[in-house]
Amino acid sequence: MKKFFNKIAILGLGLGLMTSCTGNFETMNVDPNNPTETSPQLMFPKMLQYGYCTRSWEYQVGENLHTNQYAQYVSCTSTGFVTDRYGTNDTWVKESFWRMYYTYISRNMDYLKETLEDHPEYMNMYQVMRIYSTFVAQRTTDLFGDIPYTEAGQGIITPKYDSQESIYNNFFKELDEAIAYLEAHKSEGLATFGSQDLVYGGDYDQWIKLGNSLRLRLAIRIAYIQPDVAKAQGEKALATNNLLASTSDNAGIMNFRENNANSFYTISFWNEFRASKTIIDAMLPNVTINKSSVNDPRLPLFFSKTQGFLSGNSSVPEYRGVPNGLAASSLTQDEYRAQNNSCIWGYEACDWNSTAVGSVGENDSPQSQVYALVEREQPVMYYSEVCFLKAEAGLRGWSGAGDIKANYEAGIRASFEEAREGAVSAYTYDPNDDETYINAVKITDTGDFEGTLEKIISQKWLALYPNGVEAWSEFRRTGYPKMNLVVVNESSDIPQGQFIKKLAYINDEKSLNPNSTDASLNGGKGDGRNVRVWWDTGRYN
């Protein structure tokens, strides 16, 4: 997997476009400390890191306190946080998911597009940024439904809201144009990002693969709502035979050590969340979920043994997760204390799991080993996901998808490899467990559409960890894996016994943009967290 650690001076975009009525006034009166234009090389690193919430504040209040909980990867253990119980915090949603796209992506893309006439040497870089912008726009519309898109980033105070259907149609157009341009012009010697591209180091061939893979993801996402369009777009992606083809093609964004490195690990030492019971139960040997006689081989990589277990407390299991949505009063019980449940200190982060039972105190922590030092990238799209996309495409009968079972098993093996890459040297494993596990969860009857789809999506959910945005979207699309209702639902808008369906528009939009309150939005359902987005056809409650 390619990683780039260059320390980059990331500049914000503060542009005052100046005019003059004299022939040489502009050249005589240029302030070098306040440039009137900037280049894609300076814009792109910040767009990458902010678009995917890599900083610890935005990551915590966005992915970790929302989508990682809704995907049931983690559960809250802090009595003061309400989102795991479907409480709301408008500021958190604004700071993480809304602002990231509109402040750092759409505005910059509109500016850069306006500079291309004067700077044709930026054209290849612009196409890469179109592919990346589509990734972030996809996250945003999948979270909120209908959103401002065609008028976003243009200085329009009250931009119109576009339907999610039209936005998805435009995604395919963006990928068509960006990929075609890169394929035709990638070798013409135009300017390149180089190391300022934190994903692929300026390698246009890799971005073409990633764009084709994104097309397949988008096609699968709309398979229930627009099956004919989905099939056409999916087969178009598959026909290229140029998707992410191994873990070396994986796309991820690195946050630097001076910025607290990987935010997921950084915030784990604040002891405000632990692994969800849903995912821990899915990775332990049992006959109803993973149907395996062995632990999922990723379990010790993703999650820690409990501190209570390692301290010698026989009443605390080796691995345990916290149910989602516990009442604040329940979180004070000993069973749900952070020390008695698994954290994300798996072998991906440190050698905590190698600690001998009885050699630590019940409240010990590996903080000194790991805090702000885990240099693992935040996933954008990995090869394992592409394997599962191809497996589902094959299940749906799409041409070029390949063998369903072969792609499914390749996805599991790729996920094992991705989890092990960069793990601490103390981690060893018996590869025989891999095959034992794969044999236990194998697909035996591809004629059973629902049964096969459930296996594909359940393994995809595990492989996507900790990409909560994508995992939550896949649950809403398919109803898989089967998740547990939150223990306590404190919302006023989500009926008891139902799951949250989307994020609500932020208060600033509701007060400043009358288009956000149009009753025709989201298929005539308006806004609200109990409103399904366009591609959500109701396969869960």
Side-chain angles (χ1 to χ4, degrees), residues 25 37 65-66 97 146 148 270 288 325 371 384 488 490 492 520 529:
F25 182 82
E37 63 178 42
L65 286 171
H66 289 88
F97 293 129
D146 296 354
W270 303 345
T288 58
Y371 181 77
S384 58
V488 176
E490 293 183 349
S492 59
S520 68
R529 298 186 306 160

Side-chain angles (χ1 to χ4, degrees), residues 74-207:
V74 304
S75 297
C76 186
T77 54
S78 172
T79 58
F81 293 156
V82 298
T83 48
D84 204 16
R85 303 187 291 272
Y86 293 167
T88 62
N89 190 308
D90 179 75
T91 299
W92 292 353
V93 174
K94 173 185 175 181
E95 289 295 304
S96 54
F97 293 129
W98 192 267
R99 188 168 69 96
M100 293 301 102
Y101 177 63
Y102 292 107
T103 300
Y104 299 105
I105 304 298
S106 63
R107 182 185 299 177
N108 285 356
M109 289 300 295
D110 184 68
Y111 162 75
L112 182 58
K113 185 177 181 180
E114 294 298 316
T115 70
L116 293 176
E117 184 175 353
D118 293 331
H119 294 283
E121 70 274 16
Y122 293 167
M123 281 298 294
N124 279 349
M125 291 187 288
Y126 174 66
Q127 309 309 323
V128 166
M129 293 167 79
R130 289 175 82 179
I131 294 171
Y132 177 69
S133 175
T134 301
F135 269 101
V136 184
Q138 177 225 333
R139 283 163 57 96
T140 308
T141 187
D142 285 352
L143 292 169
F144 294 96
D146 296 354
I147 57 170
Y149 181 71
T150 54
E151 293 185 353
Q154 300 175 34
I156 300 172
I157 301 301
T158 58
K160 70 175 183 178
Y161 276 60
D162 297 281
S163 70
Q164 189 175 43
E165 178 180 2
S166 69
I167 293 169
Y168 261 70
N169 288 336
N170 197 73
F171 287 163
F172 294 125
K173 177 177 177 289
E174 286 288 293
L175 293 176
D176 282 340
E177 295 176 0
I179 293 170
Y181 192 94
L182 286 175
E183 288 178 333
H185 300 280
K186 64 185 179 182
S187 302
E188 291 185 358
L190 298 179
T192 181
F193 291 112
S195 60
Q196 307 289 64
D197 171 3
L198 305 180
V199 181
Y200 288 131
D203 188 330
Y204 293 135
D205 287 316
Q206 290 295 101
W207 278 101

Side-chain angles (χ1 to χ4, degrees), residues 349-508:
C350 66
D351 60 1
W352 175 259
N353 284 340
S354 298
T355 304
V357 175
S359 63
V360 300
E362 190 170 341
N363 295 316
D364 281 356
S365 166
Q367 178 169 341
S368 61
Q369 303 172 33
V370 187
Y371 181 77
L373 299 179
V374 181
E375 292 178 324
R376 292 185 67 87
E377 62 185 19
Q378 189 158 314
V380 174
M381 192 170 193
Y382 279 2
Y383 169 60
S384 58
E385 180 187 346
V386 172
C387 293
F388 292 118
L389 290 169
K390 290 168 70 176
E392 182 175 347
L395 183 64
R396 295 183 178 278
W398 294 1
S399 297
D403 184 77
I404 300 169
K405 292 187 281 189
N407 281 319
Y408 169 76
E409 293 184 9
I412 298 174
R413 291 190 175 90
S415 179
F416 290 168
E417 182 180 346
E418 289 159 358
R420 287 165 180 154
E421 184 173 356
V424 295
S425 58
Y427 178 61
T428 60
Y429 62 92
D430 183 351
N432 290 328
D433 284 351
D434 293 2
E435 298 309 312
T436 301
Y437 177 83
I438 290 172
N439 188 61
V441 300
K442 68 183 179 182
I443 292 172
T444 56
D445 179 11
T446 56
D448 175 9
F449 183 93
E450 282 302 318
T452 301
L453 180 66
E454 181 176 4
K455 286 189 174 184
I456 291 171
I457 301 302
S458 296
Q459 285 298 325
K460 184 180 185 181
W461 170 68
L462 291 167
L464 283 169
Y465 175 85
N467 187 346
V469 175
E470 191 63 19
W472 183 41
S473 293
E474 282 295 86
F475 168 72
R476 290 179 291 152
R477 177 179 73 90
T478 66
Y480 301 126
K482 294 175 182 176
M483 293 191 183
N484 300 305
L485 291 167
V486 294
V487 177
V488 176
N489 177 349
E490 293 183 349
S491 74
S492 59
D493 55 341
I494 303 168
Q496 298 295 316
Q498 295 191 23
F499 291 96
I500 185 171
K501 297 174 180 63
K502 79 175 194 71
L503 298 180
Y505 301 135
I506 62 173
N507 291 339
D508 282 354

Side-chain angles (χ1 to χ4, degrees), residues 194-239:
S195 60
Q196 307 289 64
D197 171 3
L198 305 180
V199 181
Y200 288 131
D203 188 330
Y204 293 135
D205 287 316
Q206 290 295 101
W207 278 101
I208 291 170
K209 285 184 180 181
L210 186 61
N212 289 331
S213 301
L214 174 58
R215 183 189 301 278
L216 183 58
R217 175 198 279 181
L218 297 171
I220 288 289
R221 186 60 47 79
I222 64 173
Y224 285 108
I225 194 71
Q226 276 192 333
D228 292 341
V229 175
K231 185 174 187 290
Q233 290 293 336
E235 290 182 343
K236 184 174 184 177
L238 293 164

